[in-house]
Amino acid sequence: KNQVEQSPQSLIILEGKNCTLQCNYTVSPFSNLRWYKQDTGRGPVSLTIMTFSENTKSNGRYTATLDADTKQSSLHITASQLSDSASYICVVANDMRFGAGTRLTVKP
Amino acid sequence: GAGVSQSPSNKVTEKGKDVELRCDPISGHTALYWYRQSLGQGLEFLIYFQGNSAPDKSGLPSDRFSAERTGGSVSTLTIQRTQQEDSAVYLCASSFRLAGPTDTQYFGPGTRLTVL
């Protein structure tokens, strides 16, 4: 069954530090892979969209990478800020299947 | 311009009652999606509409759930004979087209449904 799995489930880091979130998927083929940020009590907001042929896409301090051979994607957050505290969700767009997300907490 | 709006923002109902949730997508967006999110869980796809094509209902959890989209714009998600396990936040999203490589999904704030 096609799945999207994210790791870690939760992560706590100090403000200013970098972190990397992982997304493994088995959906194949797919048209694009997306990362979203969801603040508590809000709807998700799109961070990046990558097609099958793209390896990396940046949006400010957020950089997503995609390895279509290993079916892995990562989201790297640079110089974290308190406002980065949120859930980060990976989505494979073929069937709009969302991963469970990684809950990131940035502490001062 | 205005984003995706949903109403009501909160809905409390009794088990067995029917509820209707409304979504107003961004003007000009042809694709509209419904998801639900239980507390602490990921988003669960329910249904999407794309233009005049038949909707993809593959995510609807039971025949108590139905949705329609009138005039290619506003959509209503109806849950009949609500059960306690239907309690969740119901999120609507729209995009210019159906999740193509450049089509960002824009989400509404959601409707929090509580079934007592």
Side-chain angles (χ1 to χ4, degrees), chain B residues 7-54:
Chain B
S7 61
S9 55
N10 282 282
K11 176 70 176 180
V12 180
T13 190
E14 294 179 345
K15 178 182 173 181
K17 300 287 187 182
D18 297 351
V19 295
E20 284 190 352
L21 312 180
R22 176 187 169 104
C23 172
D24 283 88
I26 292 173
S27 178
H29 281 190
T30 63
L32 185 148
Y33 318 78
W34 282 99
Y35 301 86
R36 74 175 175 182
Q37 187 172 31
S38 300
L39 186 63
Q41 302 298 310
L43 273 71
E44 176 187 4
F45 166 74
L46 297 177
I47 185 171
Y48 75 72
F49 298 85
Q50 168 57 30
N52 296 321
S53 302

Side-chain angles (χ1 to χ4, degrees), chain B residues 31-84:
Chain B
L32 185 148
Y33 318 78
W34 282 99
Y35 301 86
R36 74 175 175 182
Q37 187 172 31
S38 300
L39 186 63
Q41 302 298 310
L43 273 71
E44 176 187 4
F45 166 74
L46 297 177
I47 185 171
Y48 75 72
F49 298 85
Q50 168 57 30
N52 296 321
S53 302
D56 180 341
K57 304 178 181 181
S58 59
L60 294 178
S62 78
D63 58 8
R64 296 185 296 104
F65 288 73
S66 63
E68 63 177 17
R69 189 178 185 191
T70 54
S73 180
V74 172
S75 177
T76 302
L77 177 69
T78 301
I79 308 173
Q80 296 178 312
R81 305 180 302 282
T82 53
Q83 304 294 314
Q84 288 182 331

Side-chain angles (χ1 to χ4, degrees), chain A residues 72-86:
Chain A
Q72 294 180 326
S73 177
S74 65
L75 181 70
H76 186 74
I77 303 174
T78 305
S80 61
Q81 300 176 358
L82 298 180
S83 59
D84 292 332
S85 295

Side-chain angles (χ1 to χ4, degrees), chain A residues 12 27 46 80 83 90:
Chain A
I12 301 173
V27 181
S46 180
S80 61
S83 59
C90 172

